[in-house]
Amino acid sequence: MVQFERSGVEEALYDMVSMRTFSGIDLGDAPVPDETTVCKFRHLLEKNNLGPVILREVNQFLASRKVKISTGTIVDATIIEAPSSTKNSSGERDPEMHQTKKGKNGTSE
């Protein structure tokens, strides 16, 4: 389960395509729910003790399709245009800088 601070949910939904896809939000149809709406929904789930019920249903659905879920990190590894220099301000090669080029299918090579 992805965990965010309450204020981070709205931002994550705007910033991460994977989060919008998972939640079924299409920015062309409607805006992302604001922090207040997300909090009200979360409180409604808590008040009615629906979190464990929903989690159980989701786990059963995934298990029926032999999908295993584990923890991890979502990383945005978008390749952007940038100067090709890997030198720092003193003209030395910066050991933390690496170069890559965009592949034919949008992946790095």
Side-chain angles (χ1 to χ4, degrees):
M1 206 58 154
V2 177
Q3 296 182 10
F4 292 100
E5 295 295 323
R6 291 177 190 186
S7 62
V9 174
E10 181 181 2
E11 184 179 335
L13 287 168
Y14 273 114
D15 290 346
M16 300 171 66
V17 175
S18 59
M19 291 292 294
R20 287 194 308 273
T21 301
F22 176 80
S23 60
I25 294 174
D26 180 352
L27 294 178
D29 289 339
V32 166
D34 62 16
E35 181 181 350
T36 302
T37 303
V38 172
C39 283
K40 286 180 179 180
F41 180 70
R42 181 179 180 167
H43 292 145
L44 185 64
L45 291 175
E46 290 169 351
K47 178 182 174 186
N48 293 288
N49 200 30
L50 291 174
V53 175
I54 293 170
L55 182 59
R56 187 171 43 252
E57 289 294 320
V58 169
N59 286 338
Q60 287 175 353
F61 173 81
L62 295 173
S64 73
R65 286 165 176 69
K66 303 203 183 331
V67 174
K68 180 184 175 191
I69 300 296
S70 61
T71 61
T73 303
I74 297 174
V75 177
D76 180 2
T78 304
I79 297 176
I80 60 170
E81 293 294 326
S84 61
S85 176
T86 57
K87 295 182 179 175
N88 60 23
S89 59
S90 64
E92 303 284 324
R93 184 173 178 347
D94 189 334
E96 293 183 16
M97 296 293 291
H98 303 281
Q99 292 180 331
T100 189
K101 65 179 183 176
K102 194 169 185 180
K104 294 180 182 125
N105 62 356
T107 59
S108 63
E109 292 184 334

